[in-house]
Amino acid sequence: MQPDAPVLGIETSCDETAAAVLAPDGTVLAEAVLSQPGHAAFGGVVPEIAARAHLAHLPAMVAEVLARAGIAPAGLAAVAASSGPGLIGGLIVGSSFAKGMALAHRLPFVAVNHLEAHALTPRLPNLGGLEFPYLLLLVSGGHCQCVSVEGLGRYRRLGGTIDDAIGEAFDKVGKLLGLGWPGGPAVERLAAQGDSTRFALPRPLRGRPGCDFSFSGLKTAVAHLVASYPAGPLPHADAADIAASFQAAVADTLADRAGHAMAMFAATHGPRTLVVAGGVAANATLRAALTTAAHRAGFGFVAPPLRLCTDNAVMVAWAAIERLREGWADDLSHAPRPRWPLDAADMRP
Ligand code: KG4
Ligand code: ZN
């Protein structure tokens, strides 16, 4: 590896097509993210549409970021791609493209675990270069878990959802309220106009030991509430009160579960920093609840800027840079996989 050369990162694990060229010191030389249109009409990500769109957009996007960074493929240190977990069609497109480039230009290939990429983001030097260990709360449409980040490749899952991911719950409530997809941002906007104390909704698992989550009962409670109204669109004020009451229930639940996770983490490492990542971290009410919970537990609180919290390729390139520094790269025979837990045995060579 050329130690000062930049790394190309590729992200295609869900419905964002992304590419980035990152210098080893964390400077972003160029990046692009396309949030694929075409899924909203179906009320969720359609894997086949996503894979075809990655295939259609990725080659031109890679050429564009390399041109903007002013670098030829042969001048890269390595090519990295999200290789799981995620939708297998998209993972095959991104990792095959990266392997093709690596083979053609005799570059190392790094198969990045997408969750590790989220987990290592706060270590980017321009975000302050957070030191290990820290506690990660990953909350997105597909993930909802608490992870003790102890070192490169060393992750301990403290708990996670036993049914729906938190973003999924927002998306389902958005659908019930007739807000379209994705529901999260729309639910948050509507909640701002509502009374969060009007409906007493369940706080699933609150007070129970451990830091697992459950959102299906809360979602069902919202579905019953909506069904108690006459058919047709809900009166606006009622929809806003439901959105606000739902969001308050999620905030309480999240603060409680994160509190348990911090206690579990602190038992080994003492109080450190709580990091929240994933698309749901965009929600101001949830961030505020987590900030309060962190301070109560004596933890610092970090939420990376939103464009680095949601799916992007900068985080993929950064995870690769950290791995390459340890001399870790992957074989071109590395197979992408839809499931790839962070505490899998092969996270360390
Ligand atoms: O990380 P992300 O962009 O993609 C993955 O799921 O991997 O997260 C998207 C999820 C969606 O479920 C979306 O509804 C949710 O994050 N989300 C929000 C907000 N913005 C996005 N949920 C609650 N409040 C928001 N402001
Ligand atoms: Zn993600």
Side-chain angles (χ1 to χ4, degrees):
M1 164 187 177
Q2 308 172 44
D4 298 329
V7 167
L8 172 68
I10 290 173
E11 164 57 41
T12 56
S13 69
C14 192
D15 61 336
E16 264 85 28
T17 310
V21 182
L22 196 69
D25 68 357
T27 307
V28 180
L29 302 179
E31 86 166 297
V33 182
L34 171 76
S35 290
Q36 298 175 356
H39 299 287
F42 299 93
V45 178
V46 184
E48 185 63 22
I49 293 179
R52 285 169 190 268
H54 289 306
L55 195 56
H57 297 292
L58 187 63
M61 183 181 278
V62 167
E64 182 209 318
V65 292
L66 287 172
R68 276 201 274 128
I71 188 154
L76 291 166
V79 187
S82 275
S83 299
L87 300 174
I88 192 63
L91 293 170
I92 290 173
V93 170
S95 63
S96 304
F97 188 90
K99 288 174 185 172
M101 275 188 75
L103 187 65
H105 301 284
R106 298 175 190 280
L107 299 169
F109 164 71
V110 185
V112 170
N113 180 307
H114 176 89
L115 302 175
E116 177 174 66
H118 277 299
L120 297 178
T121 299
R123 289 176 48 75
L124 273 163
N126 39 12
L127 296 187
L130 192 62
E131 301 275 346
F132 297 124
Y134 50 90
L135 177 63
L136 172 75
L137 177 60
L138 184 56
V139 281
S140 72
H143 316 295
C144 179
Q145 50 187 283
C146 300
V147 180
S148 172
V149 180
E150 308 189 338
L152 189 61
R154 298 207 339 253
Y155 310 99
R156 199 155 54 90
R157 191 177 185 276
L158 302 178
T161 186
I162 56 175
D163 40 55
D164 295 345
I166 185 166
E168 228 177 322
F170 268 91
D171 291 339
K172 286 175 179 167
V173 167
K175 237 181 242 181
L176 287 167
L177 298 178
L179 299 176
W181 181 86
V187 170
E188 183 176 20
R189 277 195 300 276
L190 185 59
Q193 304 163 35
D195 172 4
S196 65
T197 62
R198 173 152 170 219
F199 299 107
L201 293 169
R203 270 68 172 154
L205 301 183
R206 187 165 67 172
R208 301 268 187 92
C211 60
D212 281 340
F213 298 83
S214 166
F215 292 105
S216 70
L218 175 57
K219 177 194 70 190
T220 305
V222 174
H224 285 316
L225 188 53
V226 171
S228 70
Y229 284 81
L234 289 175
H236 181 82
D238 294 73
D241 291 345
I242 293 172
S245 302
F246 163 76
Q247 186 173 264
V250 174
D252 280 355
T253 306
L254 207 53
D256 173 77
R257 307 280 78 205
H260 282 245
M262 286 185 279
M264 290 162 81
F265 177 95
T268 313
H269 304 289
R272 300 272 302 176
T273 301
L274 173 67
V275 175
V276 63
V280 178
N283 186 292
T285 302
L286 302 186
R287 275 163 105 118
L290 289 171
T291 308
T292 308
H295 292 162
R296 192 173 297 146
F299 275 60
F301 179 75
V302 169
L306 200 59
R307 68 182 178 81
L308 292 171
C309 262
T310 52
D311 288 350
N312 66 89
V314 170
M315 68 178 190
V316 176
W318 176 250
I321 286 168
E322 293 234 39
R323 291 192 151 252
L324 290 162
R325 261 193 212 137
E326 298 296 321
W328 303 350
D330 294 280
D331 246 40
L332 293 183
S333 62
H334 188 282
R337 62 192 84 160
R339 290 185 191 282
W340 190 5
L342 267 181
D343 48 11
D346 65 352
M347 286 304 293
R348 292 169 71 78

